[in-house]
Every structure is written in C-alpha cells, then in structure tokens.
Amino acid sequence: MEAALSLANAGVEVVIAEKSSSIGGGMARLDKTFPTDDCAMCILAPRMLDTARDERVTILTDTTLISLEGEEGNFTARLITAPRMVDPDACTACLECVSSCPVKVPDPFDFGLWETKCIHQPFPQAVPPAPKIEGEFCLYHQKGGVCHKCEKACPVSAIRLDQGFEAVTLQVSSVVAATGFSPVAAGDVLPRGLDSLGHGRVKDVVTSAEFERILSPTGPTSGEVLRPSDGRPPESLAFVLCAGFRDPEHGFAQCGAVCCMFAAKEAAAALERGVKSAAIFYTDLREGGKGFHRYLRRARERYRVELVRARVTEIEEHGQGVGLAYMDGRGNAGTMLFDMAVLAAGPAPHAGTGELAKRLKVETDRTGYLEVSTEDNISTTRPGVYAVGCAAGPVDIPEAVLAGSAAAARAVRIILPEDRKHEPPTPVPLAREAARERVGVFLCRCGVNIGSVLDLEAVAETLRREPGVARVDINTFTCSPDSIAAITGIIRDEDLTRVVVGACSPRTHGPVFEAAAMAAGINPALCEMANIREHSAWVHKDEKDAATEKGLSLVGAALSGVLAARPVERISVPVTRRALVVGGGDSGAIAAQALAGGGVPTILVPLDGQETDFGHQGDLRSPLLTTAPHARVVGVSGFGGGFEVSLEERGETRTLTVGAAVIAAETVRFEPRGQFLYGEDERVLTAEEFSSNLGDESFLEGARRVTF
C-alpha cells in the first residue's frame, strides 16, 4: 500500500494485484504493534481506505501474476483473477448471504482455529468488504447446483455462482514485489523442527501467529486468552524463541528478526488479560530497533515477564498442561511446566516465493527470499523489478513501509511524466441548510481497546439526552469500510448536519471521518473527533468509572465544539517546486537522487558546514541536482511549501526558497571514555579502531585472547 500510494501521490497510475481477497497483508491479523502497543487495525484501516479511495490505484484481488515479459519501462504483465463469486462493486456487505449459507469451513484467516461459513468476509475490516465463496466447499459446485441459498438471500443480486477465471494483461513500467510472508501456523508453513516442540501433537502448543489471533478482539475467543484444549484461561504461559528458525537442519537458517519483540508484546498482552505468569525462553535477545530495548525492559519490569536463557528441545503433554525440556547456556538440562506454550516463529519466506521468482525472472537468496542488492535492499537481479518488505527477508512493519516508499522513489524515475498536470483539490461542501442542527455521534469500541474499559452504553445513553443530538451509535471498529459506508448513509438518511466521533487519534483517523462526512455533503470542519482511547481508556485501564466519566467529558467537549463550529472553505496555495537535502552521507545522497529522479530540482548541502566533495556518494550527475559542498544552513523561516533558507558559503550568504527539506544527519561515533578503561589502557579499543588496526601484522602480536 505504501508503494502504491507513494506512486499515486506522484501522479502515477498503479495496479495492485493481490492474491488474497483483501488488501491489508499480514498486519490485518495482528492485535497490537510494538513498540507503541497501537491497535494494528487502527493504523491499518485508514491506510486501506486511502488505497481503495485513490482514483489512481486499481485493486485486483484474488489475482496472481503468471508472467512478466519485456524490460524496464516496457513490461507486459500477465495475470489471472480467480473467481470470488461475489461482485464487489454490487455488494453492500450486508452479509445476508453469510447468514443463509449452510456450510461451515475452517476459517483461513484464523488458521483454522475456528469455523466460518463457506461464503464469508476475508476479515471484518476487509477492503473490499464483499464476501467470497470458497468454491471447493460450496454445495452449488460440489453437488451440481443444488444450493442457491446465498444467491436468493442477496438483496442486490451480487452473487455470481458461475463466475470463472479471468485473464488480465497489463503494460507497466516497473514492478514492485510486495508479496509478504507466510506466517508459521497450522495449514501454512511448518518447519519440521516444530514437531519436537509439540505443534500439531500437543493441543495447548500454538505458534505466535495463532496466538495473535487468540489475542485479537476479532479472533476466535474475542480477545480472551483461552486454551485450545479445554477453553479454560491458562495461568502460566511459555514463549519459545527461534522456533523453527536459526535451525538449518530442521527449519530456516536465518533469524526471524522480529520474534523477540512480538514474544515480549504477546506476553505482556496476555498478562494484561488475566494470565498470572509468562516466561520467554531465549538463546539471545535481538531488540535493535528504535524503542525496542525500552519496550522489552517495560515487559520485564512492569508486566513481570520472566526471561529464561535456555534452548527448548522438546515439548510434551504433562498432566493438565505442557512440559518444556530445555538446555541452558552451561549445558544443564531441565524441565519446566506451564499451562500453555507459544512458539515464537518469525516471518518465513512466502510459500509461493520460488515460483514467483521464476515468473518475475529474478533470483532468490540462500534463505528462500527474493534476492536484492546490498546497496539499496530493494533492487532485484532484474532491472525495474523491486522486492520490498518480507518478500526480500524478515523485517518489521516500519522497515517494510520504508522499503515500499523507497521502491516507489526508484520506480518513479522511469514512470513520471515530464509535463505532469496538477489537479485542483476536491471541492468541499460549505454548509447544508437546516432548520435546526442534527448531530450524529459515533462511538468506537476499537475491539477491546476502548470497549473493555469504558461503559460506552452509559456514555451513549447520556449523549442521547443532549440538545441537538439526533443519533448515537456504537461500532466495534468505526473506521472499518462497512462502518464508514454505514455512517455516510446514516448522515444522508437521517439528514444529519454535524458529526462527532469518539474513537482513537484524530491525527491518524481524522481524515477518514472527514472524508465520510464530505461524501455525505457535510463540510469537514463540522466533523469533530474525541480521542477516548489514548486520553481515557489507555490511561485509566483499571479505573472503569473514571475512564467512562472522562470519556463522556471528552465526547461532550467535542459535541460543544462541533455545535459552535463554522464551515471552512479549502483554498490552494502555490508550492515552490524545489527541495533541500541537508547531509552529505549516503542517506542524504540517496534522498537527493530520489527527489531529482522524481523531477524535483534539488540542492544538496553538507551538515553543519562540513566540507564534503560528495564524490563517494554514487551518481549525482542529474541536471536537476545541485551540490553545494562548502555551504551550510544558517537560517530557516516560512512554512511547508515555502521555506526561506539562508545558506552561508565561503563567507557569503544567499537565500533560496524550497518547498520541502530533508535532514539526513549522519551518526556520531561514540567513545566510552570513563568506562571499561577506554582512553586509559591502550589494549581497550572500540570496534572501529580494532578493525582499522587489523591491517597491521604486528597488531595482535602477543595477544592470546580477545574479548568483545
């Protein structure tokens, strides 16, 4: 989605070919994300809606790439779309068809942990929200057309039981492979090494992907931690790191990259929901991302997650629970008993990666992912084809998003039309004539993030008595596509004049609800949000009455504000089409190249006036790129689109106007003076100093042992 939206924002037409029946990827299965503990769907849903609404983005679900011929700038992509058997354009997501279906099947979204209907939505917030029919289980297909129940139940005639496969041919300039990963879970990728760890044999052993669904409010237990064997809440949990990974003989040779962190996240979440103790068995901990170490420390100190340095060798049933046999770092064997065990396994190469590589005519690396250049981590072995996210290796969500943006920056150099036309902003409705104000209030449970803390029914009941309030609704996920569509319809049908939403952050979700209001003819300034998640539920988790009172106060304030609000007209202002990049290192040079390659005149200056020749930074020869190796920024004023930047160069100062700026500060070497005898004993060196001395043959002369 990031790659597609970045390209679309640059004026490029984009087609997303998604093999499953909804966009959203693996993030849609998550409960929360580390290290912020944000609700995954709360971050994802607005992005999905933005992607679906963008006029330059075409989404083809249930679609697979068959072949890619040609060369960069002129590829012919052949795809095939499998029958969904429901027309997403006609479907209103009323789900009457689901209620009528007599056939139950294992739910693929929940890894078969529970059942769903043969016709079902991919997941509650899917985009598009239309259901799909699993043809291999459908009675119409299996028994010669004997069942038409879903077809008869559909009020808009959206069912297409005889739909077949459809071939699609596209002419494209670049290709981004963002095919994600295969979660290690039942019915998906299962390394042989998980057999000894009890998966598939011991009912109360699940993988981290399966446990994520147990934690999710839309999962099989509605977010309550329950054991698969007997449906009872476990008191003790064990998390086993590196399950199936770092094991070339029985699983995957590589590190799973994110297992340490999501084990800490899942352990803390389980303890929040009533589990009394949780232990993480680890070989070593890899928490290298921003804020990761602090997050892991919080799991230990606040939630009392126990860390056990040992490698689990076997898991077996033991009485009413499970027994973990382990070997600690000193070679001592032992066994510990728990009610339930979670195998923390990272993102494995997608099951179809090898076949996809053949169709794309690119290479895979030794671990099974698409091979990418070490220079940018996105370019494959075929020019014009890029691999991002877990298609190229196990990464966390922020890294995947960054890679998508980077691929768009590379692709746009070939695609971007030179004479791009800038469309005017969408006009906004100014006001609706009304004899009296009719406010609609929409409250969100946010799964369990808000609904488990605030008494939303009590809040709604109080708000219904407030002057001007015409309707109050409570939704499980107010930002889901079906809820947004419903809100837009309610505004029209109920002739509402203003809207208040009590949910999460206006920073992330404000535009979503403003767009819904605009679609129904309401000026976006007459739509107000109250953040009852971060500002109430999350800070008063153990104080239901206080949280409810504060939530009501916040929504009440938003109601007062929206009643006093006046329509705002949107205007457009000129933007200076020039960018400034400050910092002469690799990141600065790459940013400057991407901007110039995208048709933006760019000036590159070093940081803090450090003289730089930029000679080692690759190709900086674009006619749109100017370097000022002796300049430094001495002043900035103005605003986004029109910054006034003062540059001092060789004693002279000049001013230029830029529309945007990138600060690409480089790292500063840390010297641990006052610690470890550094600076006092010549035998104590930093790693960089050690490396630089290795060329001297006498450097290690007489050294019997080196400690890092």
Side-chain angles (χ1 to χ4, degrees), residues 53 90 101 125 128 137 165-166 189-190 413 417 420 434 442 445 463 488 533 542 581 621:
R53 281 198 300 253
C101 180
Q125 299 85 21
F137 300 106
F165 287 86
E166 181 181 350
V189 173
L190 282 173
R413 296 179 301 174
R420 181 171 47 161
F442 302 93
R445 296 188 189 278
L463 290 170
T488 303
R533 187 184 69 176
D542 302 320
V581 178
R621 295 173 295 181

Side-chain angles (χ1 to χ4, degrees), residues 512-524:
V512 173
F513 298 112
E514 288 176 0
M518 284 179 60
I522 292 181
N523 185 275

Side-chain angles (χ1 to χ4, degrees), residues 80-92:
I80 190 162
T81 298
R84 187 189 192 106
M85 288 177 270
V86 178
D87 183 353
D89 294 326
C91 177
T92 60

Side-chain angles (χ1 to χ4, degrees), residues 219-511:
T221 61
S222 301
E224 188 177 0
V225 182
L226 301 176
R227 301 199 316 174
S229 64
D230 54 16
R232 295 168 55 190
E235 292 192 357
S236 59
L237 281 177
F239 290 83
V240 181
L241 293 187
C242 305
F245 284 75
R246 299 171 72 178
D247 184 1
E249 185 176 350
H250 301 104
F252 302 108
Q254 72 273 16
C255 168
V258 295
C259 322
C260 297
M261 296 307 301
F262 65 62
K265 178 198 74 171
E266 290 181 348
L271 290 167
E272 271 192 327
R273 301 180 196 186
V275 175
K276 293 183 178 179
S277 66
I280 296 177
F281 288 79
Y282 72 100
T283 303
D284 53 28
L285 293 170
R286 301 184 175 187
E287 70 275 35
K290 187 174 183 179
F292 288 7
H293 179 71
R294 188 181 300 113
Y295 186 85
L296 185 64
R297 188 173 64 195
R298 187 186 67 159
R300 296 177 65 182
E301 296 176 358
R302 176 176 174 181
Y303 294 102
R304 303 302 180 197
V305 175
E306 183 183 2
L307 299 180
V308 181
R309 188 160 199 160
R311 183 83 176 188
V312 176
T313 56
E314 193 172 11
I315 301 178
E316 298 289 348
E317 286 188 16
H318 193 286
Q320 297 298 311
V322 296
L324 276 68
Y326 65 88
M327 188 78 69
D328 67 18
R330 297 184 178 181
N332 300 318
T335 300
M336 293 181 70
L337 305 181
F338 295 88
D339 291 334
M340 185 175 172
V342 180
L343 307 182
H350 197 283
T353 300
E355 182 60 34
L356 175 67
K358 293 177 183 177
R359 295 174 181 181
L360 288 173
K361 297 180 180 177
V362 300
E363 300 295 324
T364 57
D365 62 23
R366 62 183 180 82
T367 58
Y369 300 95
L370 299 182
E371 185 173 336
V372 292
S373 165
T374 56
E375 293 183 0
D376 62 14
N377 281 339
I378 57 171
S379 297
T380 68
T381 53
R382 186 177 185 183
V385 179
Y386 305 96
V388 303
C390 290
V395 295
D396 61 16
I397 293 167
E399 286 187 75
V401 172
L402 286 172
S405 182
R410 286 297 177 103
V412 81
R413 296 179 301 174
I414 298 296
I415 304 171
L416 191 65
E418 293 183 4
D419 186 21
R420 181 171 47 161
K421 293 181 179 179
H422 295 275
E423 299 175 1
T426 304
V428 298
L430 282 182
R432 176 185 293 175
E433 295 295 329
R436 59 190 178 90
E437 299 297 350
R438 292 175 53 81
V439 183
V441 181
F442 302 93
L443 304 175
C444 184
R445 296 188 189 278
C446 197
V448 297
N449 279 289
I450 298 173
S452 65
V453 182
L454 272 69
D455 185 347
L456 290 178
E457 284 73 15
V459 173
E461 190 59 35
T462 302
L463 290 170
R464 290 187 181 103
R465 297 193 293 268
E466 290 293 315
V469 174
R471 177 158 180 159
V472 181
D473 284 357
I474 303 174
N475 300 293
T476 301
F477 290 105
T478 306
C479 62
S480 66
D482 49 346
S483 292
I484 291 294
I487 288 171
T488 303
I490 289 168
I491 294 171
R492 291 196 186 104
D493 296 344
E494 302 274 335
D495 197 29
L496 302 180
T497 60
R498 295 163 193 253
V499 173
V500 172
V501 178
C504 55
S505 171
R507 185 175 64 85
T508 58
H509 285 61

Side-chain angles (χ1 to χ4, degrees), residues 140-196:
Y140 175 85
H141 294 88
Q142 298 303 314
K143 296 190 176 182
V146 298
C147 181
H148 291 265
K149 290 186 177 180
C150 60
E151 191 174 37
K152 293 176 180 178
C154 181
V156 294
S157 302
I159 306 297
R160 306 285 187 267
L161 290 173
D162 291 324
Q163 184 180 24
F165 287 86
E166 181 181 350
V168 180
T169 301
L170 301 172
Q171 297 299 130
V172 298
S173 295
S174 299
V175 175
V176 177
T179 49
F181 61 94
S182 284
V184 177
D188 215 316
V189 173
L190 282 173
R192 288 175 293 140
L194 295 196
D195 293 344
S196 63

